[in-house]
Amino acid sequence: DWDAREALAGPALALAGAQDPIVPPAMTEQALSGIDTAWHPEGGHLLPLTAPGWCAERIAAFAAGLSK
């Protein structure tokens, strides 16, 4: 019952898989409304395991943008 989304005070990036059977795109979009989301078109629920390079690239680009 606890929702802490309002506590997000800084920049945030969500990584999501468009083929996620556990948290489908509609649920991700509703739950993370207003948060920048990078979508992997073939990704499922375990992106760090199935697409580690893609995740690392998105995280690195996001982090690089924070220092500007």
Side-chain angles (χ1 to χ4, degrees):
D1 293 331
W2 181 53
D3 185 348
R5 287 176 284 185
E6 290 183 14
L8 290 173
L13 172 67
L15 303 179
Q19 305 303 317
D20 189 335
I22 297 169
V23 184
M27 182 184 288
T28 298
E29 290 168 354
Q30 187 276 325
L32 302 177
S33 176
I35 294 175
D36 187 23
T37 304
W39 290 95
H40 188 293
E42 293 90 35
H45 193 70
L46 298 173
L47 286 175
L49 294 176
T50 60
W54 181 89
C55 291
E57 290 170 4
R58 285 351 172 251
I59 293 168
F62 176 74
L66 295 177
S67 63
K68 295 180 181 179

